[in-house]
Amino acid sequence: MMLAAAEQKEDIKEALLDGWNATSADTRVEAECLQLLTAWAEARKAADMPTELPTDLLNQIMLGHLVASPVAALIFGEPGVADGEAVIDPRKDLRRPPMLSSLITTHERASAES
């Protein structure tokens, strides 16, 4: 199973996430993506795998999808782009769900380090 391999090897996990990032904006494969994500959720529920890995992958897929749009660029910024104060100030006022905020903060730190 791909998830078991991803659990064992970081390069497989990264390749899996790269694939999700590439397909997240492709509307031609939306149905297949949803089927696979649902299968992961079902496998997780059935305890066929540790819950940490699929949860971590789903969080990263979700964040990758959320930050892959022009709206996300406005809300979160982009690596290597120095936004002005007029763009940065409204970000502080936006309401973000608590769990999403912690994921975004982690993403922002990683982007700043790049």
Side-chain angles (χ1 to χ4, degrees):
M1 174 183 269
M2 179 63 74
L3 290 178
E7 186 174 35
Q8 300 297 319
K9 296 189 174 205
E10 187 66 26
D11 60 331
I12 293 175
K13 180 180 175 182
E14 292 302 318
L16 187 59
L17 291 170
D18 288 346
W20 275 106
N21 287 333
T23 59
S24 67
D26 189 342
T27 58
R28 297 172 296 175
V29 292
E30 281 180 357
E32 291 84 356
C33 289
L34 180 56
Q35 288 174 348
L36 183 56
L37 290 171
T38 300
W40 283 8
E42 289 171 355
R44 181 180 179 271
K45 174 87 171 138
D48 291 344
M49 66 182 73
T51 60
E52 296 83 18
L53 177 65
T55 301
D56 179 48
L57 288 170
L58 290 169
N59 276 329
Q60 291 184 53
I61 290 164
M62 176 190 67
L63 183 59
H65 183 74
L66 289 176
V67 299
S69 77
V71 172
L74 174 68
I75 296 169
F76 310 122
E78 297 177 274
V81 175
D83 291 317
E85 189 175 329
V87 174
I88 294 170
D89 274 351
R91 290 179 185 153
K92 298 171 192 170
D93 299 328
L94 298 174
R95 288 176 276 158
R96 300 175 182 169
M99 286 189 75
L100 181 58
S101 291
S102 66
L103 286 171
I104 291 167
T105 301
T106 302
H107 171 75
E108 289 170 342
R109 272 192 238 122
S111 294
E113 294 169 4
S114 334

